[in-house]
Every structure is written in structure tokens, then in C-alpha cells.
Amino acid sequence: MKNFEKVFFNILTRELKFYMKNYYSNYHKEDKWVGILNLDNTYVAVAVTLDKEEEITYKEVRDYLQYTLDKPFIINLIVLNEGEYLGDYYNSSGYYNKLVFSLSERKVIYCSEGSKAFLQVIDYMNKVDTKKKFNFKEYKVTYSLIIINVLIYLVEVFLSRNILDIDIYTLVLMGAKFNVLIDHGEIYRLLTAAFLHGGIMHILFNMGALNIIGKEVEVIYGAKKYLIIYFLSAFGGNIFSYLMSPESISVGASGAIFGLLGAMIVFGLKERDKIGKRYARNIIETIAINVVIGLTISNIDNFAHLGGLIAGGLISFILSKRKIK
């Protein structure tokens, strides 16, 4: 259900202008999501639920929306069925619209008149599900950055003759942040250092983070703004390291990645009324975890992290002056 819910709501927010609200479910003892579309005289709300929890979900969503929305609303339930559906196909109560989707058969087995607009969403999900999970076109910037970083690391491995740890000579040769050489005019190191990594674990952690955070930024800000945020955050992070940690020789995409986190914080704060507090809290917790890791593990350039975070936040704030889709 979690995967279905995530894909379904991603389509609603990206393609159909829905926004998300989260509420605390007393039944599940956790936060749950509901999508909202603001029309002229009413709101359209949609939630995803298992068939056995249909009535409970409806009542919790109804009670939550009654206290948070300022005009009438219509509730739609996307009911997921894993066996024989034992609910009311025709929803004689008439309190809400619903679409019943069989997870085992991968098809809609019932849809009320008011929920027919979601048939196209389900059809699109089924088509996407039959394709490969790897979607280069949708996340071309993120995947391109990962490929570039990996290819450069392979060059490092070739020059250092070691796949696990790259020697400092190779890193300096290929453009690490080294203040002595930057002071002699090699300014390019403030950017090239962001594409170098000191070892296999270093690049795996960074590329894993980029794969997750980068996709979110790419969807929200678009490819052009994403690249601006990424490169200026990398540059800003290394400038901060240059000023605050002059003796260090540092490399890594962490400054740029923290810049992407900064961009997500700005988006979360600007859209906090629509996406709820949980989103911003998750981002802040992610940053806190990375800060703790940086303080407890040696050879981590925390100044580059901090500089990237600040630069990414400021740049995304400026860029988001224009309306973000």
C-alpha cells in the first residue's frame, strides 16, 4: 500500500495541482496523508486506504477536514483490495465517492461516478508499472550528475591504483580544494573538488543521498534551477571551507548535496500550509543526522556542509521568488 500511495499522490501533486495535508490517525497511531484540490466553491479530497479500514479512514479524514478547511469538501477514497472485496460496491450511504482497486489483479473493480476522474491516474500508474523502474528522462539531471561523479571516481581509481581509498596526491592532482594552490590562482578547485571523492564509501554515501534528495529537488524546482542550486552550493561550500578550514585538503559532493537540502527546507517553509509540518521535520532530521555523522567521524569537512546548506537555501529562496510549479 505504501508504494501505491506514494506513486498515486506524486501524480496528483505533479500533474493535477493537488497539495498534501497530513493528519494524525488515532487508529494507525501515525501520520496519514490526504490530497486536496482547491476548486472555486469546494475542495476535492482524496485518501488511500485498505478495504478493511475504509469506514475508519473516511471518518478520520472527514473529522480532520471539518476543522481545517474553510469551505465545503468532497471526499474520495481510493480503496485497495487484496482479495475478495466485501464492502459496499454501490456505497448506498452516499457520503463519499470511491474507487476500488484490486492489488492482485492490478485493475479497478468498482468506481463511483464522482471518482471517475481518478481512473486516468490509475491507468497511468499501471502503464508506468509495466515499464522499467529506472526512468532516466524523468530524473535526467540527477542521474547525469551521478554518472559524472562515478566516471571521475573511476579515473581516480586508475591513477591511484586503489579502489577503496584514493591517495591525497591523486586528489590534489585532480583538483581537490587545497588553499595553497587556490591562492596561486587555481580558483577552479572550488568547483572541481565537488566531483572528487576520497574512497568507495565516501562516493557511495554521497551518491545515495544525491539519488534521493536530487530527485525531489529536480521535480520541485525543475532542471535549470536544480543545476544552478547544485553548482553554486558546491562552490559556496568550498568557499566556506577555504575560509574556515584553510589547512584542510577536502573533496566531495557533500556541500552540493547539503545545498539541495537547503533548497528543500526553503520549499517546505514556503509551502508549509500545504504540505504540513512533517515534511520540514523530516528534512531537519536528515540534516541533524548528517551533522552528527560529521562531528563523530574524522576527515569530514563540516564547514563545506554548512556553507553548502546556507548557499543552497539562499539561492533557492532567490529562485523561488518566481512561482514554483
Side-chain angles (χ1 to χ4, degrees):
M1 173 177 166
K2 290 290 185 182
N3 186 57
F4 180 98
E5 187 178 38
K6 179 180 178 181
V7 175
F8 180 78
F9 283 140
N10 276 342
I11 295 173
L12 292 191
T13 54
R14 286 191 308 181
E15 307 296 339
L16 300 179
K17 299 182 180 179
F18 276 73
Y19 64 88
M20 303 304 300
K21 279 185 170 291
N22 63 297
Y23 66 94
Y24 183 77
S25 168
N26 289 315
Y27 177 79
H28 294 94
K29 304 302 180 184
E30 64 178 4
D31 283 348
K32 303 292 287 184
W33 291 99
V34 55
I36 306 291
L37 179 63
N38 189 355
L39 301 178
D40 292 334
N41 299 314
T42 187
Y43 289 100
V44 174
V46 58
V48 178
T49 181
L50 294 175
D51 52 356
K52 60 184 178 182
E53 301 165 356
E54 182 178 336
E55 290 296 328
I56 294 172
T57 300
Y58 163 70
K59 291 176 182 177
E60 289 191 330
V61 170
R62 178 200 61 192
D63 293 344
Y64 169 71
L65 295 180
Q66 283 177 342
Y67 289 103
T68 57
L69 299 183
D70 55 2
K71 56 187 176 184
F73 56 85
I74 301 169
I75 296 177
N76 291 267
L77 292 184
I78 307 300
V79 182
L80 304 182
N81 166 249
E82 296 178 321
E84 181 181 357
Y85 181 62
L86 302 177
D88 179 8
Y89 273 112
Y90 302 101
N91 191 21
S92 57
S93 63
Y95 294 131
Y96 57 88
N97 301 309
K98 69 177 175 181
L99 180 153
V100 183
F101 180 76
S102 171
L103 292 173
S104 58
E105 299 179 29
R106 304 297 302 175
K107 69 177 184 179
V108 175
I109 57 179
Y110 172 74
C111 182
S112 63
E113 189 67 29
S115 292
K116 285 188 175 180
F118 299 107
L119 285 173
Q120 290 184 333
V121 178
I122 300 297
D123 182 58
Y124 175 77
M125 289 175 63
N126 279 331
K127 289 179 180 178
V128 170
D129 193 52
T130 59
K131 298 178 181 179
K132 294 181 179 180
K133 297 293 183 182
F134 181 81
N135 190 339
F136 185 86
K137 185 177 180 181
E138 185 175 6
Y139 303 113
K140 58 185 177 182
V141 175
T142 299
Y143 287 137
S144 295
L145 288 171
I146 291 174
I147 291 170
I148 291 171
N149 276 278
V150 171
L151 289 176
I152 292 175
Y153 186 75
L154 292 177
V155 175
E156 293 178 50
V157 170
F158 176 78
L159 292 177
S160 66
R161 298 292 192 270
N162 192 330
I163 193 171
L164 298 179
D165 292 295
I166 309 302
D167 63 79
I168 196 69
Y169 174 78
T170 299
L171 294 176
V172 172
L173 177 67
M174 292 187 65
K177 190 232 81 178
F178 186 25
N179 280 27
V180 173
L181 295 179
I182 293 174
D183 291 339
H184 282 78
E186 297 183 9
I187 307 298
Y188 65 85
R189 291 177 176 272
L190 294 172
L191 187 59
T192 57
F195 290 91
L196 301 173
H197 291 85
I200 189 68
M201 297 307 298
H202 190 197
I203 190 170
L204 286 178
F205 276 122
N206 276 351
M207 294 305 100
L210 180 57
N211 185 54
I212 296 171
I213 302 166
K215 289 177 180 177
E216 297 290 337
V217 175
E218 189 165 359
V219 168
I220 292 170
Y221 287 88
K224 292 182 180 179
K225 291 181 179 180
Y226 175 19
L227 286 171
I228 292 172
I229 294 169
Y230 187 90
F231 280 99
L232 291 184
S233 295
F235 191 72
N238 283 320
I239 287 179
F240 208 72
S241 175
Y242 170 84
L243 296 173
M244 304 301 295
S245 185
E247 303 300 324
S248 70
I249 298 175
S250 61
V251 294
S254 302
I257 293 169
F258 266 76
L260 300 181
L261 279 171
M264 297 305 294
I265 290 177
V266 169
F267 174 75
L269 292 174
K270 290 177 71 67
E271 303 294 331
R272 59 187 177 277
D273 294 335
K274 294 182 178 181
I275 61 177
K277 297 179 181 179
R278 182 181 178 185
Y279 171 90
R281 186 170 68 244
N282 288 341
I283 294 296
I284 293 173
E285 288 175 353
T286 302
I287 294 174
I289 290 171
N290 280 276
V291 169
V292 171
I293 291 173
L295 293 175
T296 55
I297 298 177
S298 61
N299 300 322
I300 298 290
D301 193 342
N302 291 296
F303 288 113
H305 293 178
L306 181 59
L309 181 66
I310 294 171
L314 290 174
I315 295 161
S316 59
F317 178 78
I318 295 170
L319 293 176
S320 62
K321 286 291 186 180
R322 294 185 177 183
K323 184 175 177 63
I324 299 175
K325 182 177 178 182

